[in-house]
Amino acid sequence: MRTIDWNDESKSVVMIDQTLLPVELNVIECKNLASLCEAIRSLRVRGAPALAAAGGFGMALAVTLSSANSMEKLLNDLKVAASTLIATRPTAVNLAWAVNRVLKATEDSYDLESIKDIVIFEAIRIADEDVKINKAIGKYGQKLLDDGDTVMTHCNAGRLACVDWGTALGVIRSAVEKGKEISVIACETRPLNQGGRITTWELMQDNIPVKLITDSMSGHVMRQGMVDKMIVGADRITQDVVFNKIGTYTHSIVAKEHEIPFYVAAPVSTFDPNGWEDTVTIEQRDADELRYIGDVQIAPKNVDVYNPAFDATPMENITALITEKGIFEPPVLIDEILM
Ligand code: MRU
């Protein structure tokens, strides 16, 4: 099933609750904007491309539930919903990209009924396109992988970070589909363990060999010659850096030191052509993510905590960007990729 989808009968958003994986595979339904925003903030749905779909469907919820009786009021309701959605996760640019794309689509509408249809249509289109885009990323990216490669990845840039197939894991899936034998080393990805909980689970579902390590083992593992290539996803790509899950930057330095190719796989909706490292807000997460694992306390209750969700990897540490438009080796001009 898809990670997130629109149920047109019940006019609700259905998604896999990723906070419960790998213990439980449970599908939840968000029937209003508040429950969808809660699901985004608490990472029930997560990963930049899946957040784009969530943003689009959030607008579909807003238009469905609005009681506005004039175009002006409805457009205002949509703008308020857009700001609320975008504020839930500030770093992954795909969320804002999708919400703004849906807003832009309403410019073609002329009455209350047509606006509702347009918003829902555009939201579904964003989700459908995501799957095609990831397959295209996979088609290009698989060429970079050789039969027998061991690929290290960080966090989860798989089908659960997208509507389906995945970006970084999509490249691996496409290589396996071509008959190449690929095995994966998944970094645990503290504090929320998306690598340990989700990447391992989804690769095992597909019978792709995967070995789990803690984040702090990556240097040792690369030094031991256990890694042929590294592929990660991205949450925002600016002119100078790639923002991805905290820990990515460290892996990129070690990979560079050991001359291990370091690839970033992402759709062009992840590119922020107006952004630079110092213009982007890095999401700071709740301190309790470091003080507890589930209900188990693992640090002093009141210890001071620094918990940024993402870091920035400079382009010079990146061997190539894999997109649905092809493979680009830095230094690249983002505007040219987006043309
Ligand atoms: O905080 P998350 O889980 O939403 O973080 C997103 C990620 O999983 C990664 O950073 C990922 O590599 C990019 S999204 C395909």
Side-chain angles (χ1 to χ4, degrees):
M1 72 166 288
R2 288 183 168 193
T3 302
I4 180 164
D5 217 341
W6 176 250
N7 183 332
D8 208 44
E9 253 168 56
S10 55
K11 302 281 182 238
S12 64
V13 184
V14 283
M15 65 177 77
I16 294 174
D17 183 347
Q18 298 189 40
T19 59
L20 302 178
L21 287 173
V23 178
E24 212 180 299
L25 176 59
N26 197 24
V27 175
I28 54 168
E29 203 175 356
C30 297
K31 294 187 171 161
N32 54 51
L33 203 60
S35 70
L36 179 67
C37 288
E38 186 283 328
I40 295 173
R41 269 189 235 101
S42 60
L43 272 56
R44 297 183 201 285
V45 59
R46 46 144 299 280
L51 290 174
F57 292 147
M59 296 299 281
L61 279 177
V63 85
T64 304
L65 296 173
S66 169
S67 54
N69 54 9
S70 71
M71 284 285 278
E72 200 189 341
K73 283 187 183 146
L74 183 53
L75 285 173
N76 191 53
D77 282 356
L78 285 178
K79 281 186 189 140
V80 172
S83 315
T84 309
L85 282 161
I86 290 171
T88 53
R89 302 230 36 210
T91 310
V93 71
N94 311 55
L95 173 60
W97 166 84
V99 165
N100 288 326
R101 177 168 148 178
V102 172
L103 266 188
K104 178 125 187 56
T106 63
E107 288 171 9
D108 299 333
S109 49
Y110 42 88
D111 61 27
L112 287 177
E113 262 332 292
S114 77
I115 219 172
K116 290 192 176 184
D117 291 344
I118 284 172
V119 167
I120 295 173
F121 177 82
E122 196 64 17
I124 293 172
R125 201 152 77 146
I126 287 169
D128 288 346
E129 278 175 17
D130 177 70
V131 186
K132 292 188 195 126
I133 286 169
N134 294 332
K135 292 274 176 136
I137 291 172
K139 188 184 85 179
Y140 287 116
Q142 64 81 20
K143 294 181 190 154
L144 300 168
L145 300 187
D146 296 311
D147 191 24
D149 271 352
T150 298
V151 179
M152 184 184 276
T153 191
H154 186 67
C155 197
N156 173 265
R159 61 163 45 107
L160 285 155
C162 303
V163 176
D164 205 347
W165 200 249
T167 52
L169 297 192
V171 169
I172 291 164
R173 283 200 170 92
S174 296
V176 170
E177 205 176 55
K178 281 269 171 202
K180 298 179 194 176
E181 268 188 35
I182 307 291
S183 56
V184 178
I185 293 181
C187 297
E188 185 182 32
T189 320
R190 282 282 293 141
L192 294 178
N193 300 321
Q194 291 92 330
R197 294 186 301 108
I198 302 173
T199 295
T200 53
W201 181 82
E202 69 163 84
L203 289 171
M204 287 170 77
Q205 296 277 310
D206 282 5
N207 293 317
I208 297 175
V210 56
K211 208 183 280 302
L212 174 64
I213 62 168
T214 67
D215 303 330
S216 53
M217 291 173 193
S218 81
H220 173 73
V221 165
M222 288 197 232
R223 192 174 162 82
Q224 292 287 311
M226 291 168 67
V227 179
D228 298 298
K229 280 142 202 171
M230 176 132 199
I231 310 182
V232 295
D235 295 274
R236 185 186 293 241
I237 301 175
T238 61
Q239 297 284 355
D240 50 349
V241 297
V242 169
F243 286 93
N244 194 49
K245 180 55 56 190
I246 191 77
T248 303
Y249 170 55
T250 318
H251 298 314
S252 80
I253 294 171
V254 185
K256 197 173 181 182
E257 170 72 17
H258 294 285
E259 297 180 359
I260 295 167
F262 188 95
Y263 299 116
V264 174
V268 299
S269 54
T270 308
F271 286 78
D272 174 8
N274 304 315
W276 295 86
E277 180 175 0
D278 56 5
T279 64
V280 174
T281 305
I282 295 187
E283 177 185 348
Q284 301 294 322
R285 307 253 336 148
D286 198 296
D288 280 350
E289 290 181 356
L290 269 73
R291 297 181 187 133
Y292 292 84
I293 293 185
D295 291 336
V296 180
Q297 187 189 332
I298 55 162
K301 275 187 181 150
N302 299 324
V303 67
D304 193 22
V305 163
Y306 177 54
N307 187 16
F310 304 99
D311 62 23
T313 297
M315 286 293 172
E316 55 266 28
N317 289 8
I318 293 164
T319 312
L321 302 168
I322 308 167
T323 76
E324 71 271 33
K325 292 193 170 186
I327 294 168
F328 300 89
E329 289 179 16
V332 284
L333 277 178
I334 290 188
D335 302 306
E336 281 174 16
I337 299 176
L338 295 184
M339 260 184 349

